[in-house]
């Protein structure tokens, strides 16, 4: 646990990609990426990227072969002004 501070039992050096939508049926879903590689992971799947923190763009999201999966709304947050203040974060909002 390289970046662990003494008050936290968590390994803060990991990047987390997780569904952030409540369980159940809905028209939209949110995927949140948080950690040191969050922006790099998101940029690897998107055609467009917000040009600054707290900016939003609509972009096609692509799989590893380049096929378009969906249109997503991308919100970029940069540390220390991210939700947790620790690392860069990206949120993707897409239709289900």
């Amino acid at each position: 646990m390289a970046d662990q501070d003494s008050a936290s039992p968590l390994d803060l050096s990991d990047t987390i990609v997780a569904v952030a939508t409540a369980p159940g049926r809905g028209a939209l879903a949110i995927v949140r990426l948080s950690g040191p590689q969050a922006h790099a992971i998101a940029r690897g799947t998107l055609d467009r990227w917000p040009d600054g923190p707290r900016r939003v763009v609509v972009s096609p999201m692509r799989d590893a072969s380049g096929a378009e999966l969906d249109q997503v709304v991308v919100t970029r947050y940069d540390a220390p002004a991210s939700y947790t203040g620790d690392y860069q974060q990206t949120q993707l909002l897409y239709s289900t």
Side-chain angles (χ1 to χ4, degrees), residues 4-93:
Q4 180 179 357
D5 83 22
S6 60
S8 174
L10 303 174
D11 183 352
L12 300 177
S13 66
D14 286 339
T15 297
I16 299 167
V17 179
V19 175
T21 310
R25 296 184 61 152
L28 301 174
I30 298 171
V31 175
R32 183 170 170 249
L33 295 83
S34 181
Q37 297 300 313
H39 290 344
I41 291 168
R43 289 179 92 157
T45 65
L46 302 167
D47 288 354
R48 296 188 63 220
W49 181 250
D51 61 2
R54 298 187 180 272
R55 300 289 174 104
V56 177
V57 298
V58 175
S59 175
M61 182 177 210
R62 301 193 180 275
D63 67 13
S65 71
E68 185 173 326
L69 299 172
D70 201 349
Q71 291 282 321
V72 298
V73 177
V74 182
T75 308
R76 170 182 161 185
Y77 298 96
D78 293 354
S82 64
Y83 179 74
T84 62
D86 296 329
Y87 285 110
Q88 51 197 357
Q89 298 177 359
T90 305
Q91 290 188 356
L92 307 175
L93 175 67

